[in-house]
Amino acid sequence: QPNGPYVAILALMFPQTPASSSAFPERHAISRARLFLELADPLPGEQCNLHEAYLEAAIIFARTAIQRLATSYRKSPGWGPWFEDLKVNSSVAFIRDERNSILKEAAPKIGQVGFALAVSGPGTETSPPPLPPAKSHYYYESNTTPAIDTVRRHLDEIERLVIEGEMKFGTRGR
């Protein structure tokens, strides 16, 4: 496993922090994006703000992976047409648009699901049920598909494209 020493150090320093499941080195933008998704995934409903922040970080790092690829290979023969084709890829468009919104406008354009904590009337006392996990509160596509699943699916495609780009223009292909 390429992250072996990193996993051991993280486990000692932050027992609750998962190590990234990325195939890239731990400092690669894809690994960072995956790490933030893994941090967001298990959060309880009381930590929705943190969950949302981790989703934002994952989106920003996913876009960073594409930008770094462009910086590395934009002068390579064939790069221009290949990169132009990326602009119509739905995952690249999603990550680009969400990242631009986060950095230039406001919080992500993300749907939220509200949950009633308790219903009580005169003479009744009930303790509120626990909130559903934080990931249950946010969505992009529909309220039955958590936003984290949408971001993860797009990140999978970004990772595939980065590997393809590196195979075609960079060190993985040589």
Side-chain angles (χ1 to χ4, degrees), residues 18 20 24 27 34 42 61 67 75 78 83 86 94 106-107 120 122 138 142 151-152 159 167-168:
S20 170
F24 288 92
R27 294 187 70 193
R34 291 218 180 275
F61 274 110
Q67 292 303 116
K75 294 180 182 177
F83 191 68
L86 294 186
F94 173 86
S120 62
Y138 299 99
S142 77
V151 173
R152 187 176 285 116
E159 182 170 0
M167 293 293 290
K168 189 172 183 91

Side-chain angles (χ1 to χ4, degrees), residues 40-127:
D41 200 28
L43 291 175
E46 295 79 19
Q47 293 186 327
C48 284
N49 191 47
L50 188 56
H51 179 83
E52 187 176 332
Y54 286 153
L55 285 180
E56 290 178 18
I59 289 166
I60 290 168
F61 274 110
R63 179 66 177 156
T64 299
I66 294 290
Q67 292 303 116
R68 288 179 182 168
L69 192 68
T71 298
S72 295
Y73 304 121
R74 76 171 123 233
K75 294 180 182 177
S76 298
W79 172 262
W82 186 83
F83 191 68
E84 280 300 310
D85 288 347
L86 294 186
K87 293 179 180 178
V88 297
N89 181 293
S90 62
S91 291
V92 172
F94 173 86
I95 293 294
R96 179 192 60 235
D97 293 346
E98 288 303 313
R99 178 264 190 193
N100 287 348
S101 177
I102 292 165
L103 292 183
K104 299 174 184 178
E105 296 172 26
K109 297 177 264 185
I110 192 170
Q112 292 187 327
V113 177
F115 295 94
L117 292 179
V119 178
S120 62
T124 63
E125 280 191 38
T126 60
S127 58

Side-chain angles (χ1 to χ4, degrees), residues 55 109-114 134-148 150:
L55 285 180
K109 297 177 264 185
I110 192 170
Q112 292 187 327
V113 177
K135 65 183 172 185
S136 301
H137 294 249
Y138 299 99
Y139 66 92
Y140 282 105
E141 300 160 314
S142 77
N143 64 0
T144 59
T145 304
I148 194 168
T150 301

